[in-house]
Amino acid sequence: MKPEVPCPRPPYFSTQQNAWVVSAYADVTSVLRHPLVGVVGSTIEVSRPPVPDAGGTAHGVVRRDTQAAFSAAHRQEWHTDLTPLAHRLVAQLPEHDADLVTGVAIPWCLSLAQLTSGVAPATMKMAVAHAATLFHASAHATSGQPGGESAHAARTLLELLSSPETETTRAAHAGSVQAFVAITHSLPTAMACIWHTLLLHPAPMTTYRNAPQHRAAIIEELLRIASPSRVVFRVAHDAVHVGGVTIPRNASMVVRIADANLDAAVFHHPMRIQCDRTSPPVALGLGLHHCAGASLVRMALECTTSAIFATGERTVARATGALPVPWINGFAIDGPQAVRVNVHPGVASHVS
Ligand code: HEM
């Protein structure tokens, strides 16, 4: 059953991936922060010292626009608007063999996408279909280069997000395609991952319900153990020394963030959910390209997870007899496609 505890090793060249693979926590954090390591397609003139991105480049514009679109005030407003929906969706779950993905994660995230993007309801289905193409291409990517099909889907989705029917107050910005794909697909996948994992850990599930002060830390731990983001891709703009090896200029890198998050040298008993970890996980990336939607992700996970696992009226437990669940099985993004539960009335003293 996924995830398995990996065994991080020093960086090595994979002939299969035609790239250097980096997986130990120390090496992954060093690569993600390294000024001479960039995302695929980026350029850094190595004769000059790299300048921190001040927001003027295409990447900086995406970051700035995404963060502005998801300001603290907006997040608070969406949290208030969407908390009742989360509770309603949970209340509507059937008692036996309910699926938290189709029953809660997807409808809740689609409502969030609608609110954040302002896409007209009639356009939503088409926009989500293009987002699905982009998400599946990202999930199964084995390098940072997008395929031709992705370019077409991205163009069409941007047109839909920029259409006159989209509310002008939430008009498309440079990061809106990436954000729409993330909210409609990455976010429900992250919910599936963390709920699947929480259901396997009865004690933290009880803590989540009874100790609101630990909820944020439990969610952080669930993201560490079970983030859907398995790897990110990088390129060395010059020779880079990491983990005792030299990665040559122009080399591609596969940065295994999921393995780093389970590195036992940093996270003792890596599969245990502990609220007192001191090293930050890299589930949402790190450095210049750290997830620009991280605060929105945390808000969304807290809102929906609390509606499922922390309400007084119902207890959700793993449906043990259910059929095995398919996983996305992507190289870059993975997660269960369903989370099957039974829903009992009242609060259980013991959940198994
Ligand atoms: C609310 C939904 C989300 C939005 C709006 C969003 C937005 C973004 C954006 C714009 C970036 C690029 C940042 C940059 O290049 O500077 C990014 C990066 C990233 N996001 Fe998200 N994201 C969301 C959800 C998620 C989820 C659910 C995960 C996984 C748990 C995730 C994991 C990551 C990771 C690992 C990166 C770094 C990629 C890299 O280093 O190459 N994101 N996100």
Side-chain angles (χ1 to χ4, degrees):
M1 186 177 298
K2 299 180 179 183
E4 284 151 17
V5 181
C7 195
R9 48 188 275 202
Y12 65 95
F13 185 75
S14 158
T15 46
Q16 199 187 353
Q17 250 100 59
N18 195 25
W20 287 79
V21 179
V22 183
S23 59
Y25 181 87
D27 301 339
V28 164
T29 50
S30 152
V31 159
L32 293 180
R33 289 192 177 114
H34 203 295
L36 296 175
V37 173
V39 293
V40 180
S42 65
T43 50
I44 293 179
E45 220 181 292
V46 289
S47 54
R48 281 187 293 143
V51 183
D53 197 315
T57 63
H59 160 251
V61 171
V62 168
R63 252 202 111 67
R64 190 199 55 208
D65 285 358
T66 308
Q67 283 168 342
F70 303 142
S71 65
H74 281 131
R75 292 197 305 274
Q76 183 57 50
E77 188 189 315
W78 298 328
H79 187 279
T80 307
D81 286 355
L82 292 178
T83 298
L85 174 65
H87 286 271
R88 210 162 48 245
L89 292 167
V90 176
Q92 286 167 0
L93 290 171
E95 281 191 14
H96 296 289
D97 205 16
D99 176 17
L100 295 180
V101 175
T102 49
V104 181
I106 292 175
W108 193 91
C109 291
L110 291 186
S111 295
L112 178 64
Q114 178 105 55
L115 274 180
T116 55
S117 68
V119 168
T123 316
M124 197 62 188
K125 200 169 166 193
M126 212 190 301
V128 171
H130 289 297
T133 303
L134 289 167
F135 175 73
H136 287 288
S138 305
H140 293 282
T142 51
S143 75
Q145 299 290 4
E149 202 191 348
S150 302
H152 172 72
R155 264 197 311 276
T156 318
L157 182 52
L158 183 60
E159 276 164 26
L160 292 173
L161 295 174
S162 321
S163 93
E165 283 156 29
T166 298
E167 274 184 48
T168 46
T169 49
R170 290 163 201 170
H173 54 79
S176 52
V177 167
Q178 192 168 350
F180 190 82
V181 175
I183 296 173
T184 53
H185 290 81
S186 315
L187 191 54
T189 306
M191 289 174 181
C193 288
I194 74 161
W195 298 339
H196 170 87
T197 306
L198 187 57
L199 285 159
L200 295 170
H201 291 82
M205 209 177 357
T206 306
T207 308
Y208 192 92
R209 175 190 286 277
N210 297 334
Q213 72 276 20
H214 292 313
R215 285 184 193 158
I218 291 176
I219 285 182
E220 221 54 32
E221 275 290 271
L222 291 166
L223 273 177
R224 178 183 66 76
I225 293 175
S227 170
S229 298
R230 317 302 299 165
V231 307
V232 296
F233 302 103
R234 290 293 188 268
V235 64
H237 291 300
D238 201 357
V240 169
H241 307 285
V242 55
V245 306
T246 300
I247 298 180
R249 183 176 186 181
N250 293 332
S252 300
M253 290 182 216
V254 171
V255 183
R256 304 196 64 93
I257 56 175
D259 290 4
N261 280 332
L262 297 178
D263 186 340
V266 178
F267 302 106
H268 300 286
H269 302 295
M271 296 306 286
R272 271 192 209 159
I273 294 171
Q274 289 178 202
C275 297
D276 57 353
R277 303 274 187 198
T278 48
S279 303
V282 285
L284 293 163
L286 187 77
L288 205 55
H289 295 272
H290 174 257
C291 178
S295 302
L296 186 63
V297 171
R298 292 189 172 101
M299 178 283 272
L301 297 182
E302 182 280 321
C303 180
T304 50
T305 306
S306 297
I308 297 168
F309 294 95
T311 52
E313 313 87 52
R314 313 184 106 203
T315 302
V316 168
R318 197 158 56 99
T320 44
L323 290 170
V325 161
W327 283 60
I328 295 170
N329 273 330
F331 180 73
I333 300 175
D334 201 6
Q337 291 180 307
V339 177
R340 304 221 170 267
V341 293
N342 292 328
V343 183
H344 309 284
V347 178
S349 53
H350 169 73
V351 184
S352 64

